[in-house]
């Protein structure tokens, strides 16, 4: 109920025609890849009355259109920017388009366990379920390709290196999915401080979709044991 209340309060404030508005709020980008908990972070951010987290920009929806004047209640506004091996734009070009203004802060959301991330991606592609408010146990275990996973890890490693080089000297904070889910309040305190808003205890209606052990999600799990220590 609190989540819906805060969202509705912000919506009301944003749409009041005569509300006093400003452009001096903190601007941010959630820089991430699929299956890193970006929707979870997005809901944590929107639980804060002073933060507005928007979805991924669509074609033609430039940052300038999103970083418009908002009521003074809003102290931080941002959106998701996805990158992966199949991105339409090269990473450096995508970043330069979204963060030409050096004042834009970047939350780099990552996941340490690449096998978990990749398996989650494969399940989502197979089921069409990308987020849920309950644990999802639907679907049969998948038989996956170790060579495809190895290629995925290699490409993601190259992309992460490019991003690390590009972020040098910029204002950014790195958040890992594992820390966000296991030490939520502590990690979100880092985010609140980074965005210059008062820290609060975050909440979300989302649940982990597939908490089962990997050997219950992959029929040929033994093929992956030598490829990861996760």
């Amino acid at each position: 109920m609190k989540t819906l209340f805060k969202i509705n309060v912000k919506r009301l404030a944003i749409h009041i025609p005569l509300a006093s508005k400003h452009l001096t709020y903190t601007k941010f980008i959630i820089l991430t890849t699929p299956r890193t908990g970006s929707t979870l972070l997005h809901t944590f951010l929107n639980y804060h009355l002073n933060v507005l987290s928007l979805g991924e920009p669509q074609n033609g929806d430039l940052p300038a259109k999103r970083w418009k004047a908002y009521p003074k209640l809003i102290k931080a506004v941002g959106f998701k920017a996805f990158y992966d091996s199949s991105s339409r734009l090269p990473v450096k070009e995508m970043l330069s388009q979204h963060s030409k203004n050096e004042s834009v802060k970047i939350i780099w959301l990552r996941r340490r366990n690449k096998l978990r991330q990749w398996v989650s991606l494969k399940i989502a592609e197979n089921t069409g379920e990308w987020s849920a408010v309950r644990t999802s146990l639907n679907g049969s275990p998948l038989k996956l390709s170790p060579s495809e996973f190895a290629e995925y890890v290699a490409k993601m490693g190259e992309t992460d290196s490019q991003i690390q080089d590009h972020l040098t000297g910029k204002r950014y904070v790195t958040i890992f999915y594992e820390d966000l889910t296991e030490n939520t309040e502590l990690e979100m305190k880092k985010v609140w401080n980074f965005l210059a808003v008062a820290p609060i205890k975050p909440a979300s209606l989302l649940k982990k979709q597939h908490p089962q052990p990997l050997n219950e999600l992959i029929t040929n799990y033994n093929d992956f044991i030598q490829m990861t220590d996760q």
Side-chain angles (χ1 to χ4, degrees):
M1 293 297 292
K2 282 186 178 181
T3 302
L4 294 176
F5 173 76
K6 290 183 179 182
I7 290 174
N8 287 331
V9 167
K10 284 190 282 190
R11 284 177 177 170
L12 180 63
I14 289 169
H15 291 96
I16 294 177
L18 299 179
S20 178
K21 298 183 178 182
H22 71 136
L23 289 166
T24 57
Y25 49 78
T26 301
K27 300 175 179 64
F28 69 89
I29 293 171
I30 302 172
L31 182 64
T32 190
T33 54
R35 316 315 291 171
T36 56
S38 63
T39 301
L40 179 64
L41 177 58
H42 173 73
T43 58
F44 284 158
L45 289 167
N46 277 326
Y47 187 71
H48 199 297
L49 194 60
N50 304 126
V51 180
L52 182 61
S53 179
L54 305 168
E56 185 182 11
Q58 302 301 312
N59 292 337
D61 189 6
L62 301 176
K65 294 172 63 177
R66 296 185 154 226
W67 287 325
K68 59 185 180 181
Y70 285 100
K72 291 186 176 179
L73 170 72
I74 305 299
K75 301 186 183 303
V77 180
F79 56 87
K80 300 180 188 180
F82 283 98
Y83 68 92
D84 57 27
S85 58
S86 61
S87 294
R88 292 183 295 274
L89 289 174
V91 173
K92 288 184 180 180
E93 184 179 345
M94 182 268 286
L95 279 172
S96 65
Q97 285 191 9
H98 286 324
S99 59
K100 289 179 180 178
N101 187 336
E102 291 297 323
S103 68
V104 173
K105 295 185 176 183
I106 296 174
I107 302 170
W108 190 11
L109 180 61
R110 308 172 67 184
R111 191 165 183 168
R112 294 188 183 96
N113 193 328
K114 297 302 182 187
L115 182 56
R116 269 279 178 186
Q117 181 177 354
W118 184 68
V119 170
S120 179
L121 177 62
K122 288 299 178 182
I123 292 174
E125 291 174 344
N126 189 57
T127 63
E129 295 182 6
W130 293 87
S131 63
V133 294
R134 63 179 179 81
T135 298
S136 176
L137 300 176
N138 297 328
S140 303
L142 302 177
K143 183 175 183 179
L144 300 174
S145 166
S147 61
E148 185 180 347
F149 172 60
E151 182 180 354
Y152 170 84
V153 171
K155 287 184 177 179
M156 290 301 294
E158 292 174 6
T159 305
D160 284 349
S161 294
Q162 291 179 39
I163 290 175
Q164 186 69 70
D165 292 341
H166 185 86
L167 291 181
T168 299
K170 294 185 182 294
R171 291 193 291 174
Y172 77 98
V173 63
T174 300
I175 300 293
F176 285 96
Y177 168 84
E178 289 83 359
D179 299 330
L180 187 64
T181 55
E182 295 170 14
N183 302 293
T184 303
E185 196 166 351
L186 181 62
E187 286 305 294
M188 286 307 300
K189 186 175 182 180
K190 287 168 55 177
V191 175
W192 304 137
N193 290 336
F194 183 65
L195 298 179
V197 296
I200 65 166
K201 184 175 181 179
S204 173
L205 298 176
L206 295 180
K207 304 292 184 182
K208 286 187 178 181
Q209 287 182 276
H210 306 284
Q212 309 97 304
L214 283 170
N215 61 0
E216 294 181 13
L217 299 174
I218 311 172
T219 59
N220 58 325
Y221 174 69
N222 287 342
D223 295 340
F224 292 86
I225 291 177
Q226 300 302 320
M227 303 179 67
T228 177
D229 58 359
Q230 301 289 340

